[in-house]
């Protein structure tokens, strides 16, 4: 079955990453290229990081990390290979200027700076309604 972008099928997008419900923090793949991915998440009542209509900081950071995982997962999907499990290796910086609310769609763009031997260094920017709400830099590491 061929898929074209954007991918808005939550179940399909969820299968591209190792996390499973209720810990899936991406539900859309808006764009993909060799060094960039834009992922999305619409904050809903059933999200474990939503509290009193506000998406919590820990959920936003997890969404950012899973956006990186989606980049890797979609790469492996295109090669028709199972995606490996990865981990956050380090977070250099994260700045959160605003927390999303229930019903908001977060769009997160991941720019790959370096990828070497299973370690990926990325810059990440998250937006709601074209307004930046968070940015950061992290390293992810593939499990061996």
């Amino acid at each position: 079955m061929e898929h074209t972008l954007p991918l808005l099928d939550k179940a399909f997008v969820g299968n591209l990453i190792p996390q499973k419900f209720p810990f899936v923090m991406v539900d859309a793949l808006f764009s993909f290229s060799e060094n960039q991915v834009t992922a999305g998440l619409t904050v809903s009542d059933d999200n474990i990081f939503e509290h009193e209509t506000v998406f919590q900081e820990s959920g936003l950071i997890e969404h950012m990390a899973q956006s990186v995982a989606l980049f890797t997962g979609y790469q492996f999907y295109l090669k028709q290979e199972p995606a490996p499990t990865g981990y956050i290796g380090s977070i250099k910086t994260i700045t959160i200027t605003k927390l999303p609310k229930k019903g908001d769609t977060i769009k997160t763009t991941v720019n790959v700076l370096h990828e070497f031997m299973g370690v990926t260094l990325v810059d990440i920017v998250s937006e709601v309604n074209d307004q930046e709400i968070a940015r950061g830099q992290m390293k992810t590491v593939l499990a061996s």
Side-chain angles (χ1 to χ4, degrees), residues 6 17 23 30 49 55 65 70 73-74 91 96 100 112 123 137:
I17 62 171
F23 210 65
F30 294 112
F49 292 109
F55 192 56
L70 186 58
Y74 195 66
I91 296 175
I96 298 173
V112 177
D123 271 334
Q137 192 174 84

Side-chain angles (χ1 to χ4, degrees), residues 6 13 20 28 37 55 61 114 140-141:
V13 171
K20 300 301 171 218
V37 68
F55 192 56
I61 293 168
H114 302 288
T140 60
V141 181

Side-chain angles (χ1 to χ4, degrees), residues 76-95:
F76 277 77
Y77 166 78
L78 293 174
K79 296 187 287 189
Q80 298 181 342
E81 296 177 13
T85 300
Y87 304 96
I88 297 173
S90 67
I91 296 175
K92 186 174 180 183
T93 59
I94 296 282
T95 303

Side-chain angles (χ1 to χ4, degrees), residues 10 13-27 40-41 44 46-50 55-67 69-70 85-88:
K10 291 180 185 184
V13 171
N15 284 329
L16 294 172
I17 62 171
Q19 292 82 2
K20 300 301 171 218
F21 182 83
F23 210 65
V24 174
M25 297 299 133
V26 292
D27 61 12
L41 175 69
S44 62
D46 65 352
N47 190 296
I48 62 173
F49 292 109
E50 182 270 338
F55 192 56
Q56 302 301 298
E57 293 92 343
S58 52
L60 188 53
I61 293 168
E62 182 61 27
H63 162 73
M64 295 167 92
Q66 287 188 25
S67 296
L70 186 58
T85 300
Y87 304 96
I88 297 173

Side-chain angles (χ1 to χ4, degrees), residues 41 43 50 53-57 60 96 98-106 128 133:
L41 175 69
V43 180
E50 182 270 338
T53 75
V54 177
F55 192 56
Q56 302 301 298
E57 293 92 343
L60 188 53
I96 298 173
K98 185 177 181 186
L99 292 173
K101 305 238 183 286
K102 182 177 83 173
D104 284 346
T105 297
I106 308 163
V128 172
I133 62 164

